[in-house]
Amino acid sequence: MKKYLKSFWNWLKSLTTLDERAVELHGEAKDRLGEVIKELKDVKKAAENVVDQSKDVVDAVKGKKKRGRKPNYKTKTNNSNKKKKWN
């Protein structure tokens, strides 16, 4: 009887690929988790940007000037009017 149970168990074990499926699913889940972590980092950056922009809106409602780059007050020169020297 023990011999038959052992041979039946080995036959049943050879039919199922449960171990292989488990390893495959584990690898896929690990890859997906990595992608989810990357996307969450992107979402975090976007959320920080939204918070900064909302602060700008609140400041605009209060009447403050727009933040950002400072304007360039240097005068522009036009060098196209210079005469070329011909040798």
Side-chain angles (χ1 to χ4, degrees), residues 67-83:
R67 297 185 319 168
R69 290 186 179 178
K70 294 182 180 177
N72 188 2
Y73 291 113
K74 294 181 182 178
T75 59
K76 294 182 179 179
T77 60
N78 189 355
N79 294 331
S80 63
N81 292 334
K82 289 185 179 180
K83 292 182 181 179

Side-chain angles (χ1 to χ4, degrees), residues 5 7 48 66:
L5 285 175
S7 65
E48 288 172 356
K66 183 177 178 183

Side-chain angles (χ1 to χ4, degrees), residues 52-68:
D52 291 340
Q53 295 295 323
S54 65
K55 289 178 184 177
D56 292 343
V57 171
V58 171
D59 289 343
V61 170
K62 290 180 181 177
K64 294 185 180 178
K65 300 235 179 190
K66 183 177 178 183
R67 297 185 319 168

Side-chain angles (χ1 to χ4, degrees), residues 7-20:
S7 65
F8 175 74
W9 177 251
N10 288 335
W11 173 77
L12 184 64
K13 194 174 176 184
S14 69
L15 288 179
T16 59
T17 57
L18 189 62
D19 293 339
E20 295 169 357

